[in-house]
Amino acid sequence: MTHDQLTFIDPAHRYPATSAPEQSQPEPGLESEMIPTPDIGAETYRGTGRLKGRRALITGGDSGIGAAVAVAFAREGADVAINYLPSEEEDARHVAEIIETAGRTAVLLPGDLSEPETASRIVEEAVDRLGGLDALVNNAGRQIAVEGFANVTDEQRHETFETNIHAMFRVTQAALPHLEPGSTIVNTTSIQAYDPSPHIMDYAATKAAINNFSKALAQELAPEGIRVNAVAPGPIWTVLQPAQGQPVEALPEFGKNTPLGRAGQPTELAPAYVFLTSPESSYVVGSTIHVNGGQTSP
Ligand code: NAD
Ligand code: MG
């Protein structure tokens, strides 16, 4: 589908109503091995220069929502550094190619964010290689489904909190000294922050923390001219889900309980991140944009 064909599309039918087959990958998984492959906007996202000259760091930018944001940012005129786990190099290189085809600089920064020293290393490298930093997208996250609260191990809970929220504090603290007035931070939270599912309750708790953190930080940084906001996706077809994020048997029905009747695709998130990063949203501070197919949200 081209961008022009999107103009009058019925949102319920923008994507064919497929049932994804049951499939499974070890965490964090590779997008290139999913059936069907998620749409990160490679064919459809059209930029209009809204982020011209911006220098962005996107964590988890190799696949899914982060990859769609990287593609959109590049096509809007930004240079983009992406962080991801070393095992995701193949997905990251695919995204880098799209960024470079858009005529922008792509910087690849593998590193495990659950290790405390990764945060400052990737920020410093991004600043070095982009010549500065003015847009941060904290998007990396891990979601491992566990049936039964009693079965959530210390290790599982610890790893989820380290990756999803503790690393977000560290990356943001490392980035702050580099952010001039006019810079932006967008954090990926989730509908799980408001409407948690028991089988991913450690994950849901981190997403509530991220939402709350975004609103507090927004208040502190607004007087310095740095805007902080969040995006809360609903069920989006990304490798997070078949890489142990959901029970395998739930995948064919994934997203079908939304008012639109289907899961979202990563590229459908990108405009929210572009809006919150663009100076056009200059009076939007401490907000959460819900992109969830119509589920009731505050
Ligand atoms: P994804 O698997 O494509 O992206 C998540 C990325 O997080 C991975 O690609 C990986 O690079 C990164 N990551 C995970 N652990 C890491 C670690 N230890 N160190 C560095 N990077 C690490 O899946 P996605 O759905 O695009 O996820 C992006 C964000 O969106 C996550 O924060 C997720 O919680 C959030 N989210 C997703 C959904 C959904 O339905 N897919 C819904 C709400 C929120
Ligand atoms: Mg990935």
Side-chain angles (χ1 to χ4, degrees):
M1 183 182 295
T2 66
H3 185 275
D4 287 341
Q5 289 171 309
L6 278 180
T7 310
F8 294 114
I9 201 89
D10 168 353
H13 301 294
R14 175 171 173 186
Y15 294 93
T18 49
S19 286
E22 291 186 11
Q23 56 199 289
S24 176
Q25 293 190 44
E27 177 204 6
L30 281 177
E31 184 158 279
S32 53
E33 290 179 9
M34 287 175 75
I35 310 164
T37 313
D39 182 4
I40 60 167
E43 308 298 327
T44 48
Y45 191 90
R46 184 178 64 180
T48 53
R50 296 165 79 191
L51 302 178
K52 208 165 189 314
R54 295 291 289 270
R55 296 157 300 182
L57 169 61
I58 303 169
T59 64
D62 60 299
S63 58
I65 295 165
V69 173
V71 168
F73 275 25
R75 293 199 180 154
E76 295 288 357
D79 292 329
V80 183
I82 61 175
N83 160 251
Y84 51 90
L85 284 163
S87 65
E88 300 174 298
E89 190 66 31
E90 179 186 333
D91 280 351
R93 284 186 189 278
H94 174 62
V95 173
E97 256 178 53
I98 301 175
I99 294 169
E100 283 165 357
T101 303
R104 307 307 310 184
T105 300
V107 176
L108 295 182
L109 301 172
D112 184 342
L113 284 175
S114 69
E115 294 166 1
E117 55 282 1
T118 303
S120 54
R121 177 177 63 75
I122 62 164
V123 168
E124 294 312 321
E125 251 190 79
V127 168
D128 256 19
R129 291 167 64 187
L130 296 175
L133 185 69
D134 37 48
L136 173 63
V137 177
N138 283 311
N139 167 77
R142 111 188 254 274
Q143 172 188 317
I144 304 294
V146 178
E147 287 306 331
F149 174 56
N151 299 321
V152 180
T153 61
D154 266 6
E155 190 190 1
Q156 150 75 13
R157 189 195 67 248
H158 181 80
E159 189 70 12
T160 304
F161 273 73
E162 278 303 315
T163 305
N164 294 12
I165 179 72
H166 296 161
M168 193 176 285
F169 271 67
R170 290 192 289 259
V171 171
T172 306
Q173 282 172 338
L176 259 184
H178 302 284
L179 301 181
E180 299 285 338
S183 300
T184 52
I185 300 172
V186 183
N187 298 329
T188 303
T189 173
S190 169
I191 189 162
Q192 289 288 324
Y194 303 94
D195 187 10
S197 304
H199 67 291
I200 45 176
M201 66 170 77
D202 57 331
Y203 168 87
T206 67
K207 291 295 159 175
I210 289 166
N211 201 46
N212 189 283
F213 163 62
S214 305
K215 289 170 195 300
L217 189 66
Q219 293 175 64
E220 178 170 321
L221 297 186
E224 297 176 30
I226 300 167
R227 292 185 301 112
V228 183
N229 288 287
V231 176
I236 312 303
W237 182 239
T238 69
V239 71
L240 192 80
Q241 308 300 349
Q244 299 161 61
Q246 298 291 341
V248 170
E249 61 280 7
L251 293 176
E253 291 307 305
F254 182 68
K256 290 191 175 162
N257 61 346
T258 62
L260 283 183
R262 64 171 177 86
Q265 293 289 331
T267 191
E268 295 182 285
L269 275 296
Y273 290 81
V274 169
F275 169 70
L276 293 172
T277 301
S278 148
E280 293 165 353
S281 61
S282 50
Y283 207 57
V284 182
V285 176
S287 284
T288 302
I289 296 188
H290 302 274
V291 185
N292 65 26
Q295 293 166 94
T296 308
S297 41

